[in-house]
Amino acid sequence: MTEDSVAKPLVVDFYPGNGLTLDSAESVARATESAGIGGLWALEAPREPFGPLAVAALATSTLHLRTAVAVAFARNPMILAQHAHELARVSSGRFVLGIGTQVRAHIERRFSEQWSHPARRMAEYIEAVRAIWKAWNEQEPLDFRGEFHSHTLMTPMFDPGPSGQSPPPIHLAAVGPAMVKVAVTHADGLVLHPLSSRRSITETVLPVVGDRLDGAFELSCPALVVTGNTDDERDKAREAVRKQIAFYASTPAYRSLFELYGEGDRAAALQTRARAGDWDGMTSLITDELLQEFSVDGAPNQLTGLLLERFSGVVDRVAIYAPYPIDADVLVQL
């Protein structure tokens, strides 16, 4: 599999850096749709993504909507299936369910949930969600029995009935080869990590994805961007992106992305500072070369062209990801 195997036209979406809020989702969604941007992604970090996406669905008519990504292991399959089923209905089929595992520390210590065998658990999780949707949409008895989850009860009182839409595509976020393989074998798409470059995609992802890209399988990537209407705005954006790269690279699960560039020692140093709570000091360890490799820097009206130049031929969708506020006057220029 080579980068030339991805022949679909690249679609550009918008990915608000701190997620969507309930009171901002309507205006952001309408501005995104009016700007001609293909879709809107909702991050789960300081906020949950499903409520704001419901608001966005009701405020728009053509905008592609997705969670990017919802933390699957913080919810059981039934709860996630309910959220996605209703969003499929209210969006008239414009919703994509993007899910991920999160890392062990967050699952166990932030969400107080179980962590074990993540690849095997995720593969079963996806099949459980699909079994629940099938019970609702096709009115078949619910009888899913797995290693980690069992769903065998669905009474009329709790059955929402068919959504009137096809089940939402499930896209899985993955970095390591084991989880990428789960995406390839069980999901409808793969969501790459924001700390991805054209080199990391072509050298580590495309060979694992293989022939799935010749069909309906979708490969997408949030792309860190530096933008603004003034030099001061761009400088502040640049530092915010540098800080975000430092945070990502300090996570052991993502160290391999730095090791590809011979920067494993730098990732280890970032991890040490993160453990000490030196979040600001970490930023200084990100060189200009790493900033350039893992982000796109340009004026608002240049970003789409720069993203097309960097990611065309290796992914199907790319999302403008700014880990800092983007005003409406910037958004309409994208």
Side-chain angles (χ1 to χ4, degrees):
M1 172 61 60
T2 67
E3 58 186 87
D4 292 333
S5 300
V6 183
K8 306 169 191 174
L10 182 66
V11 179
V12 178
D13 296 332
F14 179 48
Y15 185 26
N18 290 318
L20 289 171
T21 62
L22 284 168
D23 54 349
S24 70
E26 179 178 351
S27 60
V28 171
R30 286 180 172 169
T32 303
E33 188 174 58
S34 296
I37 296 170
L40 179 64
W41 298 18
L43 168 73
E44 178 161 47
R47 301 174 181 90
E48 68 84 29
F50 293 101
L53 281 181
V55 174
L58 293 170
T60 59
S61 60
T62 61
L63 197 64
H64 165 106
L65 303 166
R66 70 162 69 184
T67 51
V69 293
V71 181
F73 292 170
R75 304 170 173 90
N76 68 53
M78 181 65 68
I79 292 174
L80 196 72
Q82 285 179 313
H83 285 311
H85 187 75
E86 181 64 5
L87 272 170
R89 184 189 70 81
V90 78
S91 69
S92 300
R94 291 180 286 129
F95 174 67
V96 170
L97 177 61
I99 59 175
T101 62
Q102 228 332 324
V103 297
R104 181 171 190 161
H106 283 266
I107 295 301
E108 292 184 338
R109 295 167 53 198
R110 182 158 68 97
F111 292 107
S112 189
E113 294 293 341
Q114 292 185 349
W115 175 276
S116 67
H117 309 291
R120 205 161 77 223
R121 183 183 288 268
M122 180 57 79
E124 181 185 293
Y125 193 107
I126 292 171
E127 296 311 310
V129 169
R130 288 193 174 127
I132 294 166
W133 286 340
K134 187 172 183 179
W136 292 339
N137 287 320
E138 301 179 24
Q139 299 294 282
E140 292 188 0
L142 177 60
D143 188 21
F144 181 87
R145 303 169 192 267
E147 177 183 2
F148 305 102
H149 297 283
S150 178
H151 300 278
T152 59
L153 177 64
M154 181 53 57
T155 61
M157 181 73 173
F158 299 100
D159 186 342
S163 69
Q165 307 295 329
S166 297
I170 298 177
H171 291 192
L172 178 60
V175 174
M179 198 60 70
V180 171
K181 287 179 181 177
V182 173
V184 169
T185 55
H186 293 274
D188 303 299
L190 169 63
V191 185
L192 300 177
H193 194 272
L195 201 63
S196 295
S197 64
R198 188 178 185 97
R199 177 182 173 185
S200 70
I201 296 169
T202 57
E203 293 186 16
T204 67
V205 176
L206 293 185
V208 181
V209 173
D211 293 337
R212 281 303 305 272
L213 291 178
D214 295 335
F217 191 83
E218 183 180 281
L219 190 59
S220 61
C221 181
L224 287 161
V225 300
V226 173
T227 196
N229 282 322
T230 67
D231 289 342
D232 182 60
E233 288 179 357
R234 293 269 289 276
D235 287 341
K236 290 179 180 177
R238 201 167 286 115
E239 285 309 296
V241 170
R242 200 185 297 268
K243 187 173 185 178
Q244 193 70 26
I245 292 172
F247 166 73
Y248 284 142
S250 72
T251 305
Y254 309 144
R255 179 172 174 168
S256 61
L257 295 169
F258 258 39
E259 289 177 338
L260 184 65
Y261 290 87
E263 294 283 1
D265 290 343
R266 192 180 301 274
L270 286 164
Q271 185 179 352
T272 299
R273 293 203 181 193
R275 286 174 175 168
D278 185 13
W279 302 107
D280 291 330
M282 292 162 56
T283 305
S284 64
L285 296 181
I286 304 302
T287 64
D288 290 343
E289 290 76 16
L290 287 170
L291 180 66
Q292 182 177 4
E293 189 67 20
F294 291 110
S295 67
V296 171
D297 191 327
N301 61 2
Q302 297 175 324
L303 280 184
T304 298
L306 292 170
L307 290 168
L308 291 171
E309 181 180 338
R310 177 169 294 195
F311 290 102
S312 287
V314 294
V315 299
D316 301 305
R317 299 187 84 102
V318 63
I320 295 170
Y321 175 26
Y324 49 88
I326 285 191
D327 293 333
D329 64 330
V330 173
L331 186 60
V332 297
Q333 299 175 62
L334 298 177

